[in-house]
Amino acid sequence: GENVEQHPSTLSVQEGDSAVIKCTYSDSASNYFPWYKQELGKGPQLIIDIRSNVGEKKDQRIAVTLNKTAKHFSLHITETQPEDSAVYFCAASKISQKLVFGQGTRLTINP
Amino acid sequence: DAGITQSPRHKVTETGTPVTLRCHQTENHRYMYWYRQDPGHGLRLIHYSYGVKDTDKGEVSDGYSVSRSKTEDFLLTLESATSSQTSVYFCAISSNGAVEKLFFGSGTQLSVL
């Protein structure tokens, strides 16, 4: 089955700098790659996703890139703000299959 | 959290006791899921339901059972709780089973002593 590895497990950046979180997946047939943000005491919430027919997708300060050949995808957050502090999860799935999540990254934005 | 209520929010229990967690939704979504979240493991699917009385196993279903007698309620039962089941449990819903439309509840922190 699918296996998703996420790095780093913790990340600390200065406010205003960029943050990058990377994930690799094992099943070349996976075609959907979402990112979830989990704030303290809450459930995960979808923030951006990408399909395998697209190499990059942006939404304001966040972007996701996908390299199908290398089987990895990344979350990029620019101009980080204190409210970006949270745990971020990547995931992968094939059509009609259930999501497989990465281990999570705790992102801390330092003022 | 998209009309999803999990209860209780926190529970402490002893090894060997039965425990039932409840997920209630007001969205009338067909699909409901139970995940557990553990450090170093992310979110792992326990069981899911694709309709009333229709359920299936996820990747970590051993030691858990589920029931869905109404569209709005999905129950997760630990028949005889073990310390390895100490975790945060999340319920999620989706309208058509498409993973792109997955909404999570706020979670239940369960401690088995």
Side-chain angles (χ1 to χ4, degrees):
Chain A
E2 176 65 276
N3 182 52
V4 178
E5 296 289 332
Q6 182 173 346
H7 298 281
S9 57
T10 61
L11 179 62
S12 182
V13 301
Q14 289 298 119
E15 183 177 351
D17 288 349
S18 296
V20 181
I21 303 170
K22 299 180 180 180
C23 289
T24 59
Y25 60 99
S26 61
D27 191 341
S28 57
S30 288
N31 59 0
Y32 175 66
F33 308 93
W35 285 89
Y36 282 79
K37 176 182 180 181
Q38 184 181 22
E39 297 177 344
L40 193 62
K42 298 184 178 181
Q45 184 175 15
L46 178 67
I47 56 172
I48 194 168
D49 56 10
I50 193 169
R51 294 188 178 278
S52 57
N53 59 346
V54 176
E56 184 176 4
K57 183 177 180 180
K58 292 182 179 180
D59 183 3
Q60 300 183 336
R61 295 185 298 106
I62 61 173
V64 57
T65 58
L66 172 66
N67 183 326
K68 288 187 293 182
T69 301
K71 290 189 287 187
H72 68 71
F73 57 110
S74 300
L75 177 71
H76 304 254
I77 306 175
T78 59
E79 301 174 4
T80 53
Q81 301 170 2
E83 54 265 36
D84 295 327
S85 292
V87 178
Y88 292 81
F89 292 97
C90 64
S93 74
K94 296 181 285 191
I95 293 176
S96 76
Q97 298 297 309
K98 300 298 174 281
L99 285 172
V100 175
F101 286 86
Q103 296 83 356
T105 296
R106 182 174 300 279
L107 174 64
T108 302
I109 308 302
N110 301 309
Chain B
D1 288 322
I4 306 170
T5 303
Q6 291 187 233
S7 59
R9 289 298 311 276
H10 303 274
K11 186 172 182 64
V12 180
T13 191
E14 295 185 349
T15 299
T17 60
V19 177
T20 296
L21 308 183
R22 179 181 184 238
C23 178
H24 178 79
Q25 58 138 335
T26 59
E27 306 296 324
N28 200 34
H29 281 1
R30 179 182 173 189
Y31 289 78
M32 299 185 75
Y33 311 79
W34 277 108
Y35 286 86
R36 62 178 288 175
Q37 182 180 0
D38 304 289
H41 292 278
L43 293 150
R44 293 179 291 175
L45 182 63
I46 305 171
H47 281 281
Y48 66 98
S49 169
Y50 46 96
V52 174
K53 298 186 179 179
D54 292 323
T55 64
D56 206 349
K57 297 179 180 179
E59 61 182 305
V60 290
S61 60
D62 287 348
Y64 302 94
S65 62
V66 291
S67 65
R68 191 164 178 206
S69 59
K70 298 184 291 185
T71 298
E72 57 266 36
D73 290 326
F74 192 31
L75 303 180
L76 176 70
T77 297
L78 291 65
E79 300 291 346
S80 178
T82 67
S83 58
S84 65
Q85 294 176 310
T86 291
S87 186
V88 181
Y89 291 85
F90 286 98
C91 174
I93 64 174
S94 71
S95 60
N96 57 6
V99 295
E100 299 88 333
K101 304 293 185 182
L102 206 59
F103 300 97
F104 285 86
S106 297
T108 294
Q109 172 70 61
L110 176 67
S111 296
V112 183
L113 305 179

